[in-house]
């Protein structure tokens, strides 16, 4: 299990700050399926493993994108955002890194070590 901060032993969803400034990104259908699985089959395990809540909404844009909203501990949100942006990157090295991150969060809970890796994307940038 992910070590809780020493300040609070409460579950992440009991900490109000974790709901401040949700991260929002828009994904193409193929990218949504690549990350969250067919019919979003991987969504629940990604949420559990990253200690976040992820909302997927079909967004009626011309290209039919999905709006992804992420709440949870800031570092976990940032990690997921970095993973999502990396998976969609035109750069093949970054894409490979993104896929490794995706496999990691699908297969096991993120650790403090995972989250300690500095993120490539800043919170205020979109992919």
């Amino acid at each position: 299990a992910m070590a809780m901060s020493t300040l609070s032993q409460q579950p992440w969803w009991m900490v109000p700050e974790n709901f401040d400034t949700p991260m929002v990104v828009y994904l193409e259908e193929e990218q949504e399926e690549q990350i969250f699985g067919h019919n979003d089959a991987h969504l629940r395990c990604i949420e559990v493993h990253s200690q976040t809540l992820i909302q997927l909404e079909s967004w009626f844009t011309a290209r039919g994108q999905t709006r992804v909203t992420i709440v949870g501990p800031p570092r976990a949100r940032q990690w997921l955002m970095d993973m999502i942006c990396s998976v969609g990157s035109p750069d093949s090295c970054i894409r490979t890194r993104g896929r490794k991150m995706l496999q990691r969060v699908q297969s096991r809970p993120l650790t403090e070590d995972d989250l300690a890796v500095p993120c490539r994307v800043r919170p205020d940038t979109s992919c």
Side-chain angles (χ1 to χ4, degrees):
M2 193 151 98
M4 287 289 176
S5 79
T6 46
L7 289 176
S8 77
Q9 293 306 314
Q10 342 164 252
W12 72 265
W13 57 87
M14 301 296 289
V15 181
E17 300 81 72
N18 288 339
F19 291 88
D20 292 349
T21 59
M23 291 195 166
V24 176
V25 63
Y26 291 84
L27 295 182
E28 304 296 325
E29 204 176 339
E30 317 81 78
Q31 204 181 341
E32 179 199 349
E33 190 156 314
Q34 186 182 3
I35 293 170
F36 297 109
H38 184 60
N39 294 330
D40 302 320
H42 302 309
L43 175 62
R44 186 77 192 109
C45 84
I46 290 175
E47 287 180 320
V48 170
H49 289 163
S50 62
Q51 298 197 342
T52 59
L53 189 65
I54 303 168
Q55 184 182 28
L56 302 178
E57 298 168 277
S58 297
W59 206 246
F60 298 103
T61 58
R63 304 217 300 275
Q65 292 170 311
T66 298
R67 182 167 82 166
V68 181
T69 306
I70 305 170
V71 296
R75 285 194 305 164
R77 274 189 312 217
Q78 186 60 56
W79 191 96
L80 285 176
M81 200 70 177
D82 191 27
M83 179 271 288
I84 289 169
C85 292
S86 298
V87 165
S89 171
D91 180 304
S92 65
C93 289
I94 296 174
R95 227 176 19 249
T96 299
R97 173 173 167 266
R99 279 200 291 265
K100 284 184 181 145
M101 291 172 81
L102 175 59
Q103 286 163 351
R104 182 174 309 150
V105 74
Q106 284 175 350
S107 60
R108 63 172 175 75
L110 296 178
T111 62
E112 287 289 332
D113 286 349
D114 291 327
L115 296 174
V117 176
C119 284
R120 203 179 43 81
V121 217
R122 299 276 51 90
D124 54 351
T125 59
S126 59
C127 295

